[in-house]
Structures are given as structure tokens and as C-alpha cells.
Amino acid sequence: MAEKRRTMQPYQQISLRTLVTISNMLFKLGTQGALTANTNARSYMVTRSKLIKTLFCFIFALAIGIAPAFAINVTTPANGAIVSSPFSLVASTSTCGSMPAVSMGYSIDHGTSTIVPTSFRAMVQAATGPHVLHVKCWGKGTSGAVLLNITVVLATSPSAATPTFVPNAGEYATATSVTLSSATAGATVYYTTNGTAPSSASAIYSSAIPISSTTVVEAVAVAAGYTSSGLARADYVIQPPTGGPVVPPNAIAASNLQTLSTWHFYHDAGTPGTSVGETGLVSTPSQSGNARQFATSYTDTGGELYGLSYANDSTAMNFLLDGWVWIEAGSSIANLEMDSNQAMANGVTVAYVFQCGGYSKLWEYGSEGKWVKSSQACDPSAWETNTWHHVQIEYSRDDSGNVTYQSVWLDGVEQVINATVPSSFSAKWAPGALQTQIQMDGIGTVGSSELYLDNLTIYRW
């Protein structure tokens, strides 16, 4: 039977320098034997025989491929593999040298190493042609590597489109939700959020991914008739602002008002045109899992008002409206209004009316049924869409119904208003009735808007 040829792995190959060194040792040994054979032939021949046997055993052990101490296991690709880019790299190890492995890495040829855990999957990009794939390990005071010869060729099938992310990677002041998509029809997008490269064993994308803390999202698209897409990665850093209004310990909090089922809505007759609205609770996008969606269609800049009665208190003098707002991309909003109303004990209603004015590009407040412009800039069309914005509005009243608009905080940045104006009006409300409202006025002859409200809390004291 013909002997099977064993192909040595790269880490098993004996370097030329090693073979020369061993050959020189054998040559010197033989020379020394010839010079001293006459003095103590039997003793020397036994010693030389043992040494030669030891050296040949060492060479044989290297040739048959005894693995080095860094036992790196590369599942794929195999040495000598022909692959298309990107290709899948799967490897693991528990030791490196004689020490426990703490990390692994890989690089193409002598490029920069990508550091990965001690068991990982990765999609690796490489130019066409032959390469040496370095798969590495590190332990305490030790390191090692396995070298694999691979050849990258052009894929016989087109690659699926690499997934895209909305919103883009970056630093955000508030929690957000990330949507993934691939331009390849019928593609399945696999993703991870734990820092490992995605594969067909990873989670399948089906709905927006909530991001409430700093997270790395990685994704790959797979479709029938296509090779796998390139690896997409986006880093989201959530860095909440440190500023905000101070809420006294004696304040009463009415929390999660967006979840109440008694919201009502109608066209605001004070705006031109028409509007039609609808509202309901959704889990995406949301921070709490229960955000309220406000969907409005309008003509001729019409405005839809959404209101809620939530408590009874005629004695409170100070209020803080605190909520999170998400504006869906494509929405057309001229003015974004967020109000509160309170019926005092004498039946007179105080209106705390406040809006981000799209026409004036300023924060505006109400006084006796009219809008007054502040000096602080605001334009709802300039708010970043598909992300959460934190809105906090401070106001107070006196016994006569005069309202002081103190400050508004947008995403942790304070804008001081400091304006006191008369703001009372007559209404047939029961004394102490408390109400909150949100309104979107359209812009243009026809359009729509979609807005979400979450974690709505109104403090009073």
C-alpha cells in the first residue's frame, strides 16, 4: 500500500535555520567520533547513538505535527483554503503557551490585529490573491500564533448589500432605537450587541433594537443566491446630560401619564384647515415599553390637539412637565405645543401654554389667549428625528392666575425664559381639575406627522 503523504501545517514546518543547526550538530558529533574512536570506542558509540536517536526523534515529532503549547483551534478556514471576501473565521483557544489565554486576535498578512475573545466568529475582509492569515493568542507573559495560507478569489455570486443603521452611529444624550435594513430583497439580517461578530447563529433582526446604554451593534445580511454581505458595525454612546431642574422632595408626581386610556383628541378650531388624529400605545419606539403614538394628517396647516385629565388639585402653585418626545422621520410639524391647565378653587382656569414655534424659531408662551415670543431659540423641524428628546418645562402661578414661565430644558440644556404674564380664563371646569395637552400643527397645504411620547411625568407642589 502506498504511503499517504502528510502535509505539514504552517506552524509544523521546520525552518531552514533549524535544519542547518541540527545537521551541524550531527556533523560535529560524527567528526568528534572519528577523532576519539580509538580511545574509548565502545562508550562513545553508545553515547553518540543515544544523542542521534534523540535528535532524530525531535525532527520526527516536528515533521508529524505535534502542536505547539498555544493550542489554537481554527475551525474555518482550513489551511490552503480558497475563499471569497468576506470570509468566515471561527477560532478558539483556552491556553496560550503554558498560561490560560486571555484574548485572541487575527490579521491579514502583517496588518493590524483585530482583538477578539478567546472564542469568536468574524467576517474578514481581504483583497484578492494569496495571503497569510495570522490567528493569535495572548496569555500572561506569553503569546502565540497559527499561520494559515489562504487564497482570496472573486465571489462567483454577488454579495448581499451590507446592512445600514438608522440612526447613524454616534453619541446620544438619550436612549434611542436602531433599525437595520439591507438593500437586497429578501435578505435576512443577523445582528449582535455583545461585541462579537454576527453569523447565521446570531439573532435575526425583526424590529427596532432599543439602545438605552452604550452599545456596539454589528450586522451581516444573508440572501439566497448571494454571498454574505460585508460586516456592518455601529457604536452608540449614550451619555445623558447632567443638568436638569430640581424637584423638591415634597412634590407630587403624576407618572406615566402617556399610558392612561382617557386621552381625547380633536381638531383645534383655532388653526386653519383640517386635521384628523389617532393615538394608541406602542412598544417600539419606546423607553418604558409603553409609549403613546400620536398620528396626525392635516390640510392647510391644521392642528390636532390631544388632551388628558389626570388629577384634581387646586392648591398647587408650581409645575414641572417632564417627558420624552420622538419625532418620526418625514413628519411635517410647524409648532409643537405642550401645555398644562389648572382650575383654581374659585373656578378660574390657569393655562400654562408653551410651544416650540416653527414659524418664529423661538420658544413661545401664552398670555390671555395670545402667543408671546421668548428670546430662546427652538424649531421643531430642526430636532433630530428617530431619536428621543428630553423636554422639561418649569412654570408657576400666583393667587391671581398670573403665570411665570421659568425655564425649559431640552436634552439637558437649560434655556431661561423668566417671564411673568396674566394667563387666566373662564372655563366650566370643576375646581382643582388638572389637564395636560400636546398639539402638532402642520406645515404646508397637506401632510402628516407622527410623534411618540414616553415617561410623561408632571410634578406639582
Side-chain angles (χ1 to χ4, degrees), residues 57-342:
C57 287
F58 171 74
I59 296 171
F60 179 73
L62 288 174
I64 65 173
I66 295 177
F70 46 91
I72 297 175
N73 176 36
V74 180
T75 304
T76 186
N79 183 50
I82 298 175
V83 299
S84 59
S85 181
F87 62 88
S88 177
L89 170 59
V90 181
S92 63
T93 190
S94 58
T95 59
C96 190
S98 60
M99 304 298 293
V102 296
S103 64
M104 294 184 70
Y106 63 87
S107 65
I108 296 295
D109 301 322
H110 296 290
T112 303
S113 294
T114 298
I115 307 303
V116 290
T118 55
S119 179
F120 71 95
R121 297 171 177 264
M123 298 299 294
V124 183
Q125 298 272 6
T128 56
H131 297 282
V132 177
L133 173 63
H134 298 241
V135 184
K136 310 170 185 180
C137 70
W138 289 273
K140 184 177 181 180
T142 185
S143 63
V146 169
L147 309 183
L148 302 172
N149 295 303
I150 61 170
T151 301
V152 177
V153 297
L154 291 174
T156 56
S157 301
S159 297
T162 301
T164 56
F165 301 79
V166 176
N168 294 327
E171 183 172 321
Y172 293 86
T174 63
T176 187
S177 294
V178 176
T179 59
L180 309 179
S181 62
S182 170
T184 301
T188 300
V189 176
Y190 297 91
Y191 75 94
T192 61
T193 57
N194 60 2
T196 62
S199 68
S200 58
S202 302
I204 297 176
Y205 175 80
S206 59
S207 60
I209 305 167
I211 305 293
S212 58
S213 59
T214 298
T215 303
V216 176
V217 181
E218 295 181 88
V220 65
V222 176
Y226 296 82
T227 59
S228 297
S229 75
L231 180 67
R233 170 181 171 137
D235 294 60
Y236 295 92
V237 178
I238 307 300
Q239 188 65 47
T242 56
V246 176
V247 180
N250 63 323
I252 300 171
S255 303
N256 290 315
L257 295 179
Q258 81 283 353
T259 64
L260 299 181
S261 61
T262 51
W263 284 86
H264 57 276
F265 50 98
Y266 52 86
H267 170 66
D268 180 6
T271 63
T274 65
S275 65
V276 177
E278 59 179 319
T279 183
L281 291 177
V282 298
S283 58
T284 302
S286 74
Q287 292 185 316
S288 65
N290 285 293
R292 180 159 293 275
Q293 178 189 44
F294 302 100
T296 304
S297 300
Y298 65 85
T299 64
D300 299 324
T301 68
E304 188 78 2
L305 185 148
Y306 301 82
L308 170 74
S309 296
Y310 65 91
N312 187 283
D313 187 338
S314 61
T315 62
M317 306 285 284
N318 303 278
F319 292 83
L320 169 62
L321 186 150
D322 189 326
W324 295 79
V325 174
W326 170 297
I327 300 175
E328 189 77 11
S331 297
S332 297
I333 300 177
N335 302 311
L336 175 57
E337 183 177 343
M338 302 180 73
D339 306 334
S340 290
N341 296 314
Q342 178 191 28

Side-chain angles (χ1 to χ4, degrees), residues 14 36 65 219 270 335 366 419-420 422:
I14 306 172
T36 61
N335 302 311
T420 300

